[in-house]
Amino acid sequence: MPLNFSDRTAWNHSQNALTQALESKRREQIPVIDLTVSNPTLCEFDYTKNPLFQNLNDTQNKIYQPNPQGLLAAREAVARYYADKNIEVSPGQIFLTSSTSEAYTYLFRLLGNVGDKILAPSPGYPLFDTLAELNDLSIQKYALCYEKTWRLDDQSLANFSEIRPKALIWVNPNNPTGNFASADEREILNHFSLQNSCPLIIDEVFLDFCWEGGAKAKSFAGNKKSLTFTLSGISKILGLPQMKLSWIVVSGPQEAAAEACRRLEVIADAHLSVGTPVQHALPGWLENRKVVISEILSRVQKNYFELLKITAPHAKVKVLNASGGWYAALKIDGIQDEKFGVRLLKEKNVLVHPGYLFDFDEEDVIVVSLLLPGEQFTRGICRVME
Ligand SMILES: Cc1ncc(COP(=O)(O)O)c(C=O)c1O
């Protein structure tokens, strides 16, 4: 009898040209400068500045006393993170999850029925499609447009009223375009949410990485105008993706937020997915977060300005304006992103993301990570310019 797998997992596993070229470099053991790296643990940051492993050695770890929302002390630490930003969040509004991806899954289960639509930005984070598919939902893309800086195309968003979306995702700042929500955009998002009974999912994993003094980096965790789920976690804030801890903050009109919490509690109770040691360690880690954030921020900021400097003499190359995050998008006149990426890898041993992966409209965009140590980053970008 043939095995019956679900239709939703009938993916096409064939490799694209870029992946094939990368495999062949690996087989031949040719070193590649990886300008797609998004894993901070491989980027030579000084992890001794936060007492990581000390905090995991806690005698309380031998006891299992699960709480569907996460241990209170850990949620209180998350509340203090927002209090530091002058946003009042109570531990009762917080749900811990093992990753931001899992937080999306909880919310998709909470909000959508089979076949429902979720709105997400384009250009944007490619994993949304997969996460939605896995929950039998589909993503519809509203547009961000570029005129010196990125902004929400409010007409494009308004066009989606008719499809009765079940949630609107906004990434603050967006990956990979690096734009934060302006005051006007907040209004537009709240208005759309109220008009269409469509809760907001605000992904703030990169919120603390703003290289324009931080003024733009305003969290939505205190948003009470419409039902809002604000997501963040330590994979980016502390550069610790391996520790697996993220959270959802529920805010909005009282009744809607309370009902959302009641339902989310059942979903979270069915999983209880966050490990006890990491929850006990969280207060100490978050206490020390500023040293980690400043180290990562100064790296990405320096690399972004280095990128502007290196590309400035090249008339065909434009770095698209960004205010924060870990990535930069480059527009290179006349290229076709995938072909260019393959050629770059084959001829120069440099790996970049073709823009199509993030759903850029134009074919002439590539995306690079700003996380690599400065000297490697500079070498990689110089090879791209060659
Ligand atoms: C916008 C955005 N959200 C969520 C994530 C995933 O975060 P986590 O590692 O907590 O699942 C990423 C990872 O790069 C991301 O870019």
Side-chain angles (χ1 to χ4, degrees):
M1 280 251 292
L3 284 170
N4 284 321
F5 292 105
S6 66
D7 292 347
R8 78 173 80 76
T9 58
W11 293 295
N12 174 1
H13 288 288
S14 61
Q15 288 188 327
N16 65 21
L18 194 57
T19 318
Q20 283 170 12
L22 187 60
E23 290 267 301
S24 122
K25 291 286 171 190
R26 288 199 175 130
R27 263 196 314 273
E28 292 164 42
Q29 298 186 342
I30 297 171
V32 165
I33 299 182
D34 185 356
L35 286 174
T36 68
V37 69
S38 62
N39 177 352
T41 65
L42 301 179
C43 293
E44 298 176 25
F45 290 107
D46 180 3
Y47 280 92
T48 58
K49 287 179 183 163
N50 205 338
L52 275 187
F53 300 107
Q54 240 163 286
N55 283 350
L56 283 171
N57 188 6
D58 188 321
T59 50
Q60 297 180 81
N61 289 338
K62 66 175 189 249
I63 296 166
Y64 183 47
Q65 256 178 344
N67 177 320
Q69 293 193 230
L71 296 179
L72 181 62
R75 286 183 287 126
E76 284 172 342
V78 175
R80 284 195 294 279
Y81 165 81
Y82 289 104
D84 255 14
K85 300 181 187 297
N86 295 318
I87 294 173
E88 200 186 325
V89 166
S90 78
Q93 293 170 254
I94 299 168
F95 289 78
L96 303 187
T97 59
S98 63
S99 65
T100 317
S101 294
E102 186 181 59
Y104 278 107
T105 291
Y106 283 15
L107 294 175
F108 290 168
R109 302 309 286 176
L110 174 73
L111 300 168
N113 292 315
V114 175
D116 280 340
K117 313 270 193 291
I118 305 283
L119 299 179
S122 167
Y125 183 46
L127 199 63
F128 292 143
D129 289 293
T130 312
L131 291 171
E133 263 175 37
L134 283 171
N135 289 287
D136 301 327
L137 305 175
S138 69
I139 295 285
Q140 300 282 311
K141 307 276 173 76
Y142 64 87
L144 301 179
C145 52
Y146 188 80
E147 292 154 8
K148 295 195 182 141
T149 57
W150 289 98
R151 68 168 177 81
L152 168 65
D153 178 343
D154 41 344
Q155 190 49 52
S156 146
L157 182 61
N159 290 342
F160 285 110
S161 283
E162 282 161 22
I163 63 162
R164 297 177 165 272
K166 288 301 179 82
L168 162 54
I169 298 172
W170 175 271
V171 185
N172 196 39
N174 192 40
N175 169 7
T177 54
N179 55 304
F180 291 83
S182 66
D184 286 351
E185 285 166 335
R186 280 169 187 268
E187 281 308 307
I188 295 169
L189 294 172
N190 274 318
H191 180 75
F192 184 91
S193 169
L194 288 172
Q195 289 287 305
N196 297 285
S197 302
C198 171
L200 300 177
I201 299 178
I202 310 289
D203 181 331
E204 296 188 339
V205 294
F206 295 111
L207 186 77
D208 290 312
F209 303 96
C210 175
W211 53 70
E212 290 181 357
K216 290 184 170 179
K218 205 170 150 232
S219 172
F220 275 75
N223 189 35
K224 292 201 171 68
K225 292 188 177 164
S226 56
L227 182 57
T228 305
F229 301 95
T230 303
L231 313 185
S232 191
I234 66 172
S235 65
K236 307 295 185 282
I237 294 177
L238 296 173
L240 295 177
Q242 76 276 41
M243 296 300 179
K244 308 309 291 178
L245 196 154
S246 295
W247 57 81
I248 304 168
V249 178
V250 184
S251 66
Q254 215 171 6
E255 214 175 295
E259 182 59 20
C261 287
R262 275 192 288 276
R263 291 173 183 238
L264 263 181
E265 190 176 331
V266 179
I267 298 174
D269 197 24
H271 293 81
L272 298 174
S273 60
V274 192
T276 297
V278 74
Q279 296 188 66
H280 283 310
L282 186 70
W285 289 346
L286 278 180
E287 192 90 344
N288 279 303
R289 73 183 180 282
K290 287 185 182 158
V291 280
V292 183
I293 291 171
S294 83
E295 196 187 354
I296 300 179
L297 178 59
S298 78
R299 169 88 57 88
V300 292
Q301 201 167 14
K302 227 165 126 201
N303 281 344
Y304 182 75
F305 290 114
E306 180 71 5
L307 179 65
L308 293 179
K309 204 171 91 191
I310 298 173
T311 53
H314 299 268
K316 285 186 167 184
V317 182
K318 187 160 96 186
V319 178
L320 301 183
N321 200 333
S323 306
W326 289 4
Y327 305 94
L330 283 84
K331 201 168 161 52
I332 308 181
D333 276 0
I335 65 158
Q336 196 276 333
D337 55 356
E338 188 174 21
K339 278 194 194 134
F340 183 78
V342 172
R343 207 178 133 205
L344 200 57
L345 184 55
K346 285 187 172 163
E347 294 177 15
K348 299 285 176 189
N349 298 319
V350 176
L351 180 66
V352 298
H353 282 306
Y356 79 82
L357 200 71
F358 298 86
D359 220 15
F360 279 87
D361 277 346
E362 305 84 4
E363 280 193 331
D364 57 359
V365 176
I366 60 164
V367 172
V368 296
S369 157
L370 301 167
L371 274 188
L372 276 186
E375 185 265 333
Q376 281 180 58
F377 178 81
T378 302
R379 232 171 344 119
I381 296 298
C382 287
R383 287 194 205 170
V384 178
M385 291 308 108
E386 283 167 17

